[in-house]
Amino acid sequence: MAAPKFPTLQLFSPEFLICAGAILFQPPRDRPDSPLQVCILFHPQKDEYLLPKGRKDISENPYHTALRETYEETGYPCDFLPVRMHTRAPQAGEDIKDTANGRELFPLTEPFAMTFRNVGGGTDKNYKMIWWFIAKVTGEKQEGTMTASEGFQSCWFSETEVVEKLTFESDRDVVRKALELVRATYVTDST
């Protein structure tokens, strides 16, 4: 028996949970000096600021999960915001070799990050995989979109405030990268 060529962690269905979420932006403005606005969640009972995300339903793909969970938890209808970013994924039908840094393409609505969290602690195999997307608001806030077990308040913050508001450093890292991608795609220097 040969060992895998690369270090490998293999999980079976009881050992992992697929989740998805989105960094929700107000649509970028035409003016470069207009700060970006990001919607995050406040959980009053835990006194935590979080990103909208949740579990993938059976037979649902992570793209739909990200939009559904973001809508349910924030109340804002949304869609993906295409950005310019590096990806290792080929275009449909394309035959290219995988490279470590991929290549930069636009427009992309692929996941821009993935958080791999061991929620079992220690050596327990209990992992949560969170796919992160970038989204934009497409309509007015709707009330009553959360499930009964959720008690979030959606809050808008400017790009200069949002990172400091988030409770967890991993969420801050995800937002920093999303801001970098949206700025690089939509915000130009007017000088």
Side-chain angles (χ1 to χ4, degrees):
M1 290 282 167
K5 185 176 178 180
F6 301 104
T8 301
L9 173 64
Q10 186 161 298
L11 302 170
F12 297 99
S13 59
E15 300 168 331
F16 68 87
L17 177 63
I18 299 171
C19 301
I23 312 310
L24 183 60
F25 287 89
Q26 285 284 3
R29 309 275 194 290
D30 292 333
R31 293 181 20 228
D33 60 338
S34 183
L36 296 170
Q37 298 288 315
V38 180
C39 185
I40 61 175
L41 304 172
F42 178 62
H43 194 296
Q45 293 163 324
K46 294 182 178 180
D47 192 30
E48 294 175 345
Y49 284 91
L50 311 163
L51 295 174
K53 65 184 171 306
R55 296 178 291 178
K56 181 185 90 60
D57 290 344
I58 293 172
S59 298
E60 183 180 42
N61 76 46
Y63 291 82
H64 291 116
T65 303
L67 293 178
R68 177 183 56 76
E69 286 288 344
T70 301
Y71 170 66
E72 285 176 3
E73 292 183 349
T74 67
Y76 288 97
C78 58
D79 201 355
F80 295 119
L81 178 62
V83 293
R84 178 181 314 282
M85 68 178 188
H86 281 85
T87 183
R88 293 170 64 172
Q91 302 260 12
E94 187 176 40
D95 183 17
I96 61 169
K97 186 169 177 66
D98 180 30
T99 59
N101 292 322
R103 60 200 168 134
E104 187 177 71
L105 295 174
F106 175 81
L108 291 179
T109 57
E110 296 290 305
F112 74 97
M114 187 177 96
T115 302
F116 199 67
R117 186 177 295 155
N118 183 345
V119 294
T123 58
D124 291 346
K125 286 187 176 180
N126 185 358
Y127 290 89
K128 185 181 280 191
M129 298 178 288
I130 308 165
W131 294 25
W132 294 106
F133 296 84
I134 296 175
K136 63 181 176 181
V137 171
T138 59
E140 297 298 317
K141 182 174 174 65
Q142 307 294 309
E143 297 300 329
T145 59
M146 278 183 254
T147 61
S149 64
E150 297 170 326
F152 301 119
Q153 297 169 4
S154 52
C155 309
W156 288 98
F157 292 102
S158 74
E159 62 185 294
T160 56
E161 302 168 309
V162 69
V163 172
E164 293 306 315
K165 280 289 184 185
L166 288 163
T167 302
F168 300 105
E169 188 61 32
S170 60
D171 286 353
R172 292 175 179 190
D173 290 342
V174 169
V175 169
R176 282 185 194 107
K177 185 62 176 180
L179 284 164
E180 175 188 314
L181 292 170
V182 171
R183 277 193 211 111
T185 304
Y186 295 100
V187 180
T188 59
D189 188 2
S190 62
T191 59

